[in-house]
Amino acid sequence: MRSNVAKKQHEPKAASSSAASRPYRIEDQIGYLLRRAHQRASAIFQGGIGDPNITPTQYSSLAKLDEYTELSQNLLGRLVGMDKATMQGVVRRLKERGLVDSRPDPGDARRTLLSLTTEGQKLVNRLLLNGPAVSRETLKPLNPQEQKQLLDLLSRII
């Protein structure tokens, strides 16, 4: 009896006549596929970026600070696609690790300017060397044309 219950839990229900005309499978939906792709990309990132304590959002922030030298916290959040609350948490954790420094903006006291510390610069220099390998591994199941197409399509969605 127990094996029949377990077996039924792993088998999809038989399609009804109305479901057969409009099949809906969660595995075919964009949100599901993006979430699963993100899980895979995150696992590859954690295993290959070179610092197990850096998250993808922290990495993006460090990379942008390296690219621009100094940014307001607000602009950094917009550049990496993070909301204000998430950005505050990311910056707090990076500051706690001594990777990012902040100072008031002399032109606008309400604004905080962020930059990499010496330690942050050393770390980002090392991590940026690993970034391309992480991307290659993530896209590995696709041929070069498919890789370009996927990146182009995702860019259009966002």
Side-chain angles (χ1 to χ4, degrees), residues 26-158:
I26 196 68
E27 296 87 355
D28 297 331
Q29 306 310 307
I30 185 65
Y32 176 88
L33 293 168
L34 286 172
R35 182 178 59 79
R36 293 297 306 271
H38 180 261
Q39 288 171 335
R40 181 176 180 279
S42 293
I44 291 168
F45 174 88
Q46 287 305 143
I49 201 59
D51 184 327
N53 298 314
I54 289 292
T55 66
T57 54
Q58 291 172 352
Y59 174 76
S60 297
S61 298
L62 292 172
K64 281 297 176 190
L65 286 171
D66 178 63
E67 181 180 347
Y68 286 89
T69 306
E70 186 173 62
L71 291 167
S72 72
Q73 185 168 314
N74 188 304
L75 180 54
L76 177 59
R78 288 195 312 269
L79 290 172
V80 297
M82 279 186 251
D83 62 81
K84 186 177 178 179
T86 303
M87 192 72 243
Q88 287 174 341
V90 167
V91 169
R92 181 179 38 79
R93 286 184 288 281
L94 291 173
K95 286 174 73 175
E96 286 170 358
R97 282 191 62 187
L99 302 174
V100 170
D101 224 349
S102 65
R103 68 180 182 94
D105 184 336
D108 185 346
R110 298 168 298 169
R111 190 178 317 180
T112 301
L113 297 176
L114 303 172
S115 60
L116 295 171
T117 63
T118 302
E119 194 63 34
Q121 188 65 61
K122 287 179 189 174
L123 178 63
V124 78
N125 288 345
R126 187 168 47 88
L127 298 180
L128 288 173
L129 293 174
N130 298 329
V134 168
S135 291
R136 279 192 304 275
E137 183 62 27
T138 303
L139 294 168
K140 195 174 185 177
L142 306 175
N143 69 42
Q145 181 183 352
E146 291 168 331
Q147 291 175 14
K148 182 181 179 338
Q149 183 179 21
L150 175 62
L151 295 174
D152 289 344
L153 292 170
L154 289 173
S155 294
R156 286 175 53 193
I157 288 175
I158 61 168

Side-chain angles (χ1 to χ4, degrees), residues 12-28:
K13 294 187 288 187
S16 66
S17 60
S18 64
S21 63
R22 290 182 303 132
Y24 180 91
R25 293 185 62 234
I26 196 68
E27 296 87 355
D28 297 331

